[in-house]
Amino acid sequence: MAQQTMYPAIANSPGTELSAALTAAATTIAVVDATKLPAAPNVFTIGTDESSETILYTGKSGNSLTGCTRGFDGTTPKAWAIGSKVARYYTAYDHEAFRKNLTDLSGVTSESTTDVILSAGQQILNATKNARLQGLKIQGRTLIDLLGGAGSGESLVGWTQNGTTATTLSSTQKRSGSTAFKFSPSAGAAYITKDFTTPLDASKYYVMAGWVFIESYVDGSLNLALRDVGTMTARYNMSINVSLLGQWQFVYFKIPTNNTLLGTGYRLTAGSTGSGTNVTYMDEIRLYAVSAADYAAIGTTITGEAIDRLLPYVPPGINGVDGLWVRRYGKNLLPPTPSLLGSIATPIGPYDLIFASSSANQVSRVVGEVIPNTVYTLSVKHNATIRVVGGDTAVNVVNSTTAQTVTFNSGANTTLYITLVCTAIGTFYFKDWQLEIGSTVSPFQPREDSLIAFSGVELHANPTDGSEPDILREVNGRYEVTKLWREMALDGTLPWGNASNYTGFKRVGITTAISDSTALTGSYFVSKYNGTPLVYANAWDAADKYSLIGPATKLFQVTIANSDSGWGDSYTPTSDEIKAYFNGWRMYTDGQPAATNVYSGTGTKAWAKKNDAGGIVEASGVFVVPLTSNDSLTGRYQLLYRLAAVTMETVQEDGSLSLLEGDNFIEVGSGYVSRERATPVWESTGNKYHLNNAGLIGNTLKYRADKILRIFRDSRQDDRWMVLDFVSAFGKQLATIPAADYDPSASYSVSYIKLDKSPVPSVSGFYAATEKAQLHDLTDAVIEISSAVSTLAAKKAEKDAGPWITPSTLLNGFTGNQLSYRKNGNYVEFKGFAFYNVIDAPGGTIIMNLPAGFRPLSFVNLPTTSWGDTGALSPSAIGVYVGIDGIVQLSVPSKRNVLFDGLRFPLD
């Protein structure tokens, strides 16, 4: 096959700009500095994102490029404005030319790939070749717990106690979080109930699930059930195996369409309702609407704990696939440092430990994750004994042995504790511990995981049936998301206003349109600050309902109970007071109970903070409307809505995923956080620095950590930290480093997996299964690295741009909706829009002042548009003046909303 032309590159891809506007048909193109482009013939690109155009040119004359082929290699020819960015970037044409030419030269004639589908959780994949896993595709999911987190086992607030023995919260046995519900009746009953006044939709399918741990059982009626609201008439009850003691069991039931629940709502009952004696724990109780397909699969093709992976317990609120990751564990499944060190153990280095034992049976421990009912081989060089304990069953899988190698079956366990045991007083060593799949002992090698992850990427779908999902996929070596859904916090930063007063509740709304949303019923989903889902309002007849007002206006409204907000029936709250409510504050009359009193217009208005337990933090109140966010309440109202038009977003992945020939232990999960800035804190005991120790101030991560994966010092991985499972960790794990190894002048960051769960979907992809496909894989990998470097060059201007700045003050009644500005090269750019607090804004009204360094050298006029809220929705052409003194003002009268998004002006 003839070789395809490969055009030379130019070092660092220097950029230039168009010196004149360009039509879609022009074949001679003028640029500011043609020396920034290679000699002809060659290709160059206009633009830096997915809308860019690649152009082939055959000649250069001064600063003009001649003989241009527009829309080269499948891109689209278009008109470009003067100043548009131009550079010799790495293109799809370069990629394909390189790949095809190398393939032709290789002489390999057969090419094949193997498709792979990875399910949520842990699995073993047998690969025929060492290869990269490519072409990943992930579909979004959204879960909303209809119980609003009531079944978390973390709080008894809102539950009614019943029986002869009080229900308590216990940390002795828990599935997640800090505690679980504990029921311990003695010849009596112990159970809790909670009524929900929102009925289940008779047209939908539902699944309720939870975890139960029976510590001891003599008798009693254990149940987790849905009953008719306000009664003990059971309609749906879980089957709990009372003979299964000392371990967690997953239980569930399905609720079909046309459910038999009577009344407006339902009652949830948990515990031991009949007279008996037992000790039982329950945790992670949740109720989800599911698709017809999932409903049919649950209990048939999806059984047992696979149901838990499909419908995991998630925190209250709206939860999409957040921070998806796929991890291929190394052939050695054990980490280089113990998770439990022991006070007399001294690490010599990775996989090397010395014990100076002062008594018999002193231990250290290494944790390995495994697939249940699978054969494994453990090898450790040592002069003492080793023992394998099941992390789930807490029983010996391998009793103490002096053998250097043991082969065993993992049983029902997903975690194994490899316990290193000193048999007597003396000095003992443990070295080169290795756990691998199968019965064959391999030469020792350190653990070397392969991971690909997508931090900060959340993928949604319709929460009711999973339809219309966001999709993350690999395209030409890059990852992009097809977005159909957007999630936003309904907090005090939005322009709230009062709509109507009703008896016992009020209706309020956002006074600007959600312009990028659809106007279709079923395209909006809302949760309250406590995670409880709100109901779509077919009529405004109760609190905790929502709707979109008019397909044209797209104004979002919601009802709020007066008991929740603290506003009396006769009181109409101001815009700022509504904002305070959505930031987590409650109004009341000073001198009256802060949690129950409502302000009716007399006395002194006061404000108190709500908290996560449903109570009030500050009974003494605040007397100025608080517009700051309440840090005592972690939850906020959330809105998920369907976009009116599909959008494409490029995302950045962390790492890449490779497969080993043979069995691969792979896990698919969510909750990955990439390189979060961290502040280690010194602790005198042991003279060490700590990360994520909840017992110390100022060092915890943003989210509770399930696994700390890597710690970076000045952007380089720092392997001197010891990661430990520890009771004082914020989550499950913390990390320590000796003071002598800590650099106080360095910047530290952490990549980790959050403890709080989100949905985990299946992941599809493929890998090279033949020599020719492997060659393509190799060349694609090289090309993608080159492309990544070129992408960095293409984004250099964006990287060099300053941060977005939110104006500290807007003037003359203007407020900003995500209004901000920044310096990008020689330009000042804006995004968002400004909102005026009356119907029209007069011409000449000053909106804000730009600080020094963000002002033009001469007066500029920026053409833009404005629009109203009701009755004047069509946009009007207006202008915004920017003066050399930084004053930004209207050139002509404007409607309420002034668009700034996309405006920019040069600094010289």
Side-chain angles (χ1 to χ4, degrees):
M1 183 182 77
Q3 293 286 289
Q4 189 168 327
T5 302
M6 295 191 294
Y7 296 108
I10 186 170
N12 298 323
S13 296
T16 184
E17 298 83 30
L18 294 179
S19 61
L22 185 65
T23 67
T27 57
T28 297
I29 299 174
V31 297
V32 173
D33 184 2
T35 64
K36 300 294 180 63
L37 300 173
N42 215 303
V43 295
F44 70 95
T45 300
I46 306 179
T48 59
D49 58 19
E50 62 271 14
S51 66
S52 60
E53 178 186 355
T54 302
I55 298 171
L56 170 68
Y57 59 99
T58 58
K60 284 175 68 175
S61 176
N63 286 326
S64 293
L65 308 173
T66 60
C68 295
T69 300
R70 301 296 301 277
F72 184 65
D73 196 40
T75 59
T76 302
K78 61 182 70 174
W80 293 93
I82 183 173
S84 297
K85 299 294 183 182
V86 173
R88 171 58 170 104
Y89 296 137
Y90 200 90
T91 68
Y93 175 86
D94 297 308
H95 175 106
E96 285 303 300
F98 189 16
R99 187 179 72 82
K100 290 175 181 178
N101 290 346
L102 281 178
T103 300
D104 180 54
L105 292 171
S106 71
V108 179
T109 56
S110 63
E111 180 174 6
S112 177
T113 60
T114 298
D115 293 331
V116 171
I117 297 179
L118 303 173
S119 59
Q122 299 174 336
Q123 58 234 272
I124 292 177
L125 170 69
N126 186 278
T128 57
K129 297 285 183 182
N130 291 333
R132 288 188 312 143
L133 188 59
Q134 309 177 70
L136 296 188
K137 180 180 177 182
I138 302 105
Q139 293 190 349
R141 292 185 63 212
T142 300
L143 291 178
I144 304 175
D145 179 12
L146 301 182
L147 305 180
S152 66
E154 302 295 298
S155 174
L156 288 165
V157 172
W159 289 91
T160 299
Q161 295 267 3
N162 302 274
T164 57
T165 305
T167 301
T168 60
L169 301 177
S170 173
S171 60
T172 303
Q173 295 291 345
K174 59 183 185 296
R175 187 68 191 180
S176 64
S178 302
T179 57
F181 299 124
K182 181 180 180 180
F183 311 94
S184 51
S186 177
Y191 65 98
I192 51 178
T193 62
K194 183 175 175 64
D195 285 333
F196 295 82
T197 57
T198 302
L200 298 183
D201 189 332
S203 67
K204 296 178 181 178
Y205 297 94
Y206 297 91
V207 172
M208 185 170 165
W211 286 90
V212 177
F213 185 101
I214 305 175
E215 185 175 289
S216 61
Y217 182 83
V218 177
D219 53 12
S221 179
L222 301 183
N223 75 86
L224 194 53
L226 284 189
R227 305 170 184 270
D228 291 343
V229 63
T231 77
M232 290 300 288
T233 303
R235 299 294 178 182
Y236 303 97
N237 201 350
M238 295 186 187
S239 176
I240 299 174
N241 185 352
V242 297
S243 65
L244 197 61
L245 304 180
Q247 66 184 83
W248 286 98
Q249 57 177 296
F250 178 75
V251 294
Y252 75 97
F253 59 71
K254 298 162 59 172
I255 304 172
T257 57
N258 299 312
N259 66 77
T260 57
L261 289 163
L262 299 181
T264 306
Y266 53 91
R267 168 171 286 185
L268 172 60
T269 303
S272 183
T273 55
S275 180
T277 299
N278 59 77
V279 178
T280 304
Y281 304 82
M282 295 185 182
D283 204 359
E284 292 192 349
I285 305 167
R286 66 272 202 183
L287 174 63
Y288 297 135
V290 299
S291 67
D294 283 346
Y295 185 88
I298 290 171
T300 55
T301 57
I302 303 174
T303 59
E305 293 186 23
I307 304 171
D308 182 54
R309 293 191 293 272
L310 176 69
L311 301 172
Y313 176 82
V314 296
I318 297 172
N319 297 270
V321 179
D322 180 20
L324 182 122
W325 51 271
V326 184
R327 184 181 191 178
R328 189 267 298 155
Y329 289 81
K331 193 174 185 65
N332 182 357
L333 299 174
L334 297 180
T337 56
S339 64
L340 174 68
L341 187 57
S343 60
I344 44 76
T346 303
I348 304 302
Y351 298 97
D352 195 349
L353 191 66
I354 292 290
F355 265 92
S357 178
S358 57
S359 64
N361 298 320
Q362 292 186 317
V363 302
S364 187
R365 188 176 69 192
V366 182
V367 178
E369 297 189 52
V370 294
I371 300 290
N373 304 309
T374 303
V375 173
Y376 288 89
T377 296
L378 170 68
S379 55
V380 187
K381 298 174 184 176
H382 66 95
N383 63 344
T385 65
I386 55 175
R387 184 171 69 243
V388 181
V389 179
D392 301 323
T393 60
V395 298
N396 286 339
V397 178
V398 176
N399 289 320
S400 294
T401 175
T402 59
Q404 307 289 296
T405 300
V406 291
T407 297
F408 58 90
N409 190 292
S410 57
N413 300 290
T414 58
T415 303
L416 296 178
Y417 296 135
I418 314 302
T419 307
L420 315 175
V421 186
C422 299
T423 53
I425 298 173
T427 300
F428 298 89
Y429 69 87
F430 299 90
K431 187 174 182 178
D432 294 349
W433 45 84
Q434 177 163 286
L435 180 68
E436 52 191 318
I437 300 171
S439 57
T440 302
V441 182
S442 301
F444 170 79
Q445 57 181 289
R447 177 169 176 165
E448 188 176 354
D449 293 350
S450 177
L451 178 139
I452 188 169
F454 303 91
S455 179
V457 179
E458 189 164 2
L459 306 173
H460 284 283
N462 189 303
T464 299
D465 57 13
S467 63
E468 297 187 302
D470 296 335
I471 298 176
L472 170 66
R473 58 163 64 86
E474 183 182 6
V475 179
N476 292 330
R478 296 185 187 180
Y479 286 89
E480 62 183 29
V481 177
T482 305
K483 291 287 289 183
L484 288 85
W485 297 88
R486 180 159 294 151
E487 181 184 341
M488 65 182 289
L490 299 175
D491 59 20
T493 63
L494 298 171
W496 292 98
N498 190 63
S500 301
N501 292 345
Y502 301 84
T503 301
F505 66 95
K506 302 193 186 305
R507 176 160 52 103
V508 303
I510 302 173
T511 57
T512 56
I514 305 176
S515 58
D516 62 347
S517 65
T518 66
L520 301 176
T521 302
S523 295
Y524 290 76
F525 301 88
V526 184
S527 65
K528 201 173 176 179
Y529 60 82
N530 58 8
T532 304
L534 269 60
V535 179
Y536 181 80
N538 291 311
W540 297 113
D541 54 2
D544 294 334
K545 291 194 171 186
Y546 71 93
S547 186
L548 198 67
I549 305 301
T553 59
K554 296 184 179 180
L555 299 176
F556 175 81
Q557 295 193 348
V558 63
T559 54
I560 303 169
N562 293 346
S563 58
D564 209 9
S565 65
W567 305 320
D569 278 340
S570 61
Y571 183 76
T572 299
T574 67
S575 175
D576 281 351
E577 288 168 346
I578 299 171
K579 292 177 182 179
Y581 169 77
F582 282 100
N583 273 341
W585 296 82
R586 185 186 192 277
M587 181 188 284
Y588 68 102
T589 307
D590 186 43
Q592 301 299 316
T596 57
N597 171 258
V598 294
Y599 181 79
S600 298
T602 60
T604 302
K605 287 185 285 188
W607 294 85
K609 291 181 177 181
K610 296 172 174 286
N611 66 18
D612 290 334
I616 294 295
V617 176
E618 295 178 0
S620 60
V622 174
F623 302 105
V624 177
V625 181
L627 297 180
T628 57
S629 184
N630 170 10
D631 55 6
S632 298
L633 183 68
T634 59
R636 290 291 180 271
Y637 278 76
Q638 292 173 275
L639 168 64
L640 177 71
Y641 62 89
R642 174 70 162 80
L643 294 169
V646 176
T647 65
M648 304 295 292
E649 300 176 4
T650 300
V651 299
Q652 181 60 52
E653 76 278 11
D654 272 12
S656 62
L657 195 67
S658 64
L659 300 176
L660 303 173
E661 185 173 343
D663 286 338
N664 291 260
F665 179 19
I666 294 179
E667 186 172 7
V668 180
S670 62
Y672 178 80
V673 179
S674 176
R675 302 200 182 205
E676 180 183 306
R677 182 72 179 269
T679 306
V681 170
W682 179 74
E683 205 270 329
S684 59
T685 303
N687 191 23
K688 295 179 179 178
Y689 278 81
H690 289 242
L691 270 176
N692 205 43
N693 188 335
L696 301 174
I697 297 174
N699 75 114
T700 54
L701 298 168
K702 182 178 180 181
Y703 305 100
R704 297 185 302 162
D706 181 40
K707 294 183 180 69
I708 295 177
L709 302 177
R710 294 184 181 91
I711 299 175
F712 301 90
R713 183 182 67 174
D714 291 336
S715 299
R716 293 189 177 185
Q717 186 167 329
D718 188 349
D719 292 325
R720 294 172 297 179
W721 289 82
M722 178 170 287
V723 176
L724 302 170
D725 293 327
F726 209 73
V727 66
S728 65
F730 183 54
K732 286 185 178 181
Q733 291 191 331
L734 56 76
T736 65
I737 189 172
D741 291 332
Y742 177 73
D743 182 357
S745 66
S747 175
Y748 286 87
S749 58
V750 184
S751 292
Y752 64 100
I753 295 171
K754 295 187 290 188
L755 184 60
D756 291 333
K757 299 177 182 177
S758 70
V760 182
S762 60
V763 176
S764 63
F766 61 88
Y767 69 90
T770 65
E771 286 77 6
K772 182 176 181 180
Q774 282 182 303
L775 178 62
H776 280 190
D777 188 3
L778 175 62
T779 57
D780 283 349
V782 172
I783 291 168
E784 287 163 17
I785 292 172
S786 301
S787 180
V789 172
S790 182
T791 299
L792 290 175
K795 295 293 185 180
K796 186 176 186 299
E798 182 72 16
K799 178 182 176 183
D800 291 343
W804 288 105
I805 300 170
T806 301
S808 58
T809 304
L810 295 184
L811 306 174
N812 299 310
F814 273 101
T815 57
N817 190 331
Q818 301 178 355
L819 176 61
S820 54
Y821 59 90
R822 70 174 179 181
K823 190 183 297 183
N824 187 354
N826 195 43
Y827 285 83
V828 171
E829 301 175 333
F830 295 92
K831 68 177 181 179
F833 60 90
F835 172 76
Y836 195 57
N837 63 2
V838 294
I839 295 302
D840 293 320
T845 303
I846 297 175
I847 301 173
M848 62 179 165
N849 288 325
L850 295 175
F854 292 83
R855 300 170 179 174
L857 290 181
S858 59
F859 174 89
V860 295
N861 179 25
L862 305 177
T864 185
T865 58
S866 70
W867 68 97
D869 294 327
T870 57
L873 296 174
S874 58
S876 297
I878 64 166
V880 174
Y881 291 153
V882 184
I884 60 174
D885 53 1
I887 291 178
V888 180
Q889 63 187 121
L890 296 172
S891 62
V892 295
S894 164
K895 296 176 183 177
R896 298 188 74 177
N897 303 279
V898 179
L899 181 66
F900 274 80
D901 208 40
L903 299 184
R904 71 175 192 160
F905 62 84
L907 289 169
D908 56 21

